Amino acid sequence: MSAAWIDDVQWNADGLVPALAQDSESGEVLMLAWMNREALERTVESGEAVYWSRSRRCLWRKGETSGHVLRVKEIRLDCDADAILLRVESVAGIACHTGRRRCFFNRLEGEGAERRWAATDPVVGGSLANDA
Amino acid sequence: MSAAWIDDVQWNADGLVPALAQDSESGEVLMLAWMNREALERTVESGEAVYWSRSRRCLWRKGETSGHVLRVKEIRLDCDADAILLRVESVAGIACHTGRRRCFFNRLEGEGAERRWAATDPVVGGSLANDA
């Protein structure tokens, strides 16, 4: 299957685009992962986030082993057509493989030589080596 | 200047990371652009978003000609340290070079052969060929 809407996406040299997931209720940005054409097609067809794992080089249905599924409410594309925004329901309330609500749990804090990334969010569930 | 916090970032093969900007008040995801080390350092030092333009191959202080500055309230890093989230104040209320509040103004709508990206957001200000 190929369709105009999927050809509108500006895939990079590796055939990928970055895809953000945002909680559709809280507005919290949960994670950034990557999609190829098939991942985006499967996401649209299934209504659940499917990504391309760059490290494992395979399609990856988010939550397939962990149950931490992202149910897709809306799919958006940016002005340059090279980034995707999923508005999702995080079914288990955990999007990160570390067992946190979101992956963006490190905040830049301090000044000068004291500046560092500090983890601000608690672990609320079990962690997984890979975030399937 | 090199510091531990900036070495913690997992820069890609081109020395870049994707950086999201999210409105700190509304929670709206405004845009995704790219940063190299210098862009991130300048963002931290100036308190305003500075990116690396992949097309023009130069640093780009967001709003330097348009006035559409993004004032940075918080900087976050994800679990893999390869994506950045800026929580910002969009000073002019316009983040997109098309003159819209945000770049993610296209929504996937319809079914089957009718599926398409539909622009959902109004243009609220002047547009610019490049979104400086």
Side-chain angles (χ1 to χ4, degrees):
Chain A
M1 181 191 94
S2 185
W5 68 272
I6 206 155
D7 292 330
D8 287 340
V9 178
Q10 298 298 304
W11 307 96
N12 74 9
D14 296 323
L16 304 177
V17 287
L20 319 173
Q22 180 183 30
D23 189 294
S24 62
E25 297 237 326
S26 70
E28 200 166 46
V29 176
L30 302 176
M31 58 181 287
L32 184 149
W34 293 78
M35 290 186 173
N36 62 5
R37 294 172 68 99
E38 191 176 351
L40 179 56
E41 286 172 349
R42 291 201 186 191
T43 297
V44 169
E45 288 159 13
S46 69
E48 294 180 353
V50 178
Y51 298 107
W52 173 256
S53 169
R54 295 174 302 166
S55 54
R56 290 177 280 142
R57 304 197 60 75
C58 62
L59 284 177
W60 153 49
R61 191 174 76 78
K62 174 74 182 157
E64 64 192 353
T65 58
S66 66
H68 302 164
V69 168
L70 300 178
R71 205 167 280 157
V72 177
K73 305 294 183 184
E74 187 179 72
I75 303 179
R76 290 187 165 273
L77 185 65
D78 76 350
C79 52
D80 299 327
D82 62 0
I84 282 174
L85 172 62
L86 306 178
R87 306 254 314 166
V88 303
E89 177 192 352
S90 177
V91 171
I94 299 171
C96 185
H97 75 289
T98 64
R100 293 178 173 89
R101 271 197 337 272
R102 58 172 174 177
C103 295
F104 290 96
F105 58 79
N106 299 298
R107 183 169 63 200
L108 190 60
E109 297 187 347
E111 298 291 330
E114 302 302 312
R115 194 166 275 141
R116 68 189 181 90
W117 302 102
T120 59
D121 299 10
V123 172
V124 292
S127 63
L128 288 167
N130 54 46
D131 46 351
Chain B
M1 182 191 93
S2 185
W5 68 273
I6 206 155
D7 292 330
D8 287 339
V9 178
Q10 297 299 304
W11 307 95
N12 73 10
D14 296 322
L16 304 177
V17 287
L20 319 173
Q22 179 183 30
D23 189 293
S24 62
E25 297 238 324
S26 69
E28 200 168 44
V29 176
L30 301 176
M31 59 182 285
L32 184 149
W34 293 78
M35 289 185 173
N36 61 7
R37 293 173 68 99
E38 190 175 352
L40 180 55
E41 286 173 347
R42 290 202 187 190
T43 297
V44 169
E45 288 160 13
S46 69
E48 294 180 355
V50 177
Y51 298 107
W52 173 256
S53 170
R54 295 174 303 165
S55 54
R56 289 177 280 143
R57 304 196 60 76
C58 61
L59 284 177
W60 152 48
R61 191 174 75 79
K62 174 73 181 155
E64 63 192 354
T65 58
S66 67
H68 303 164
V69 168
L70 299 179
R71 206 167 281 158
V72 176
K73 304 294 182 183
E74 188 178 72
I75 303 179
R76 290 187 165 273
L77 185 66
D78 77 349
C79 52
D80 298 328
D82 63 0
I84 283 174
L85 172 62
L86 306 179
R87 308 254 315 164
V88 303
E89 177 192 352
S90 177
V91 172
I94 300 170
C96 185
H97 75 289
T98 65
R100 292 177 173 88
R101 271 197 335 273
R102 58 173 173 176
C103 295
F104 290 95
F105 58 79
N106 300 297
R107 184 169 61 200
L108 190 60
E109 297 187 347
E111 297 292 331
E114 303 301 312
R115 195 166 273 143
R116 67 189 181 89
W117 302 101
T120 58
D121 297 11
V123 172
V124 292
S127 63
L128 288 168
N130 55 46
D131 47 350

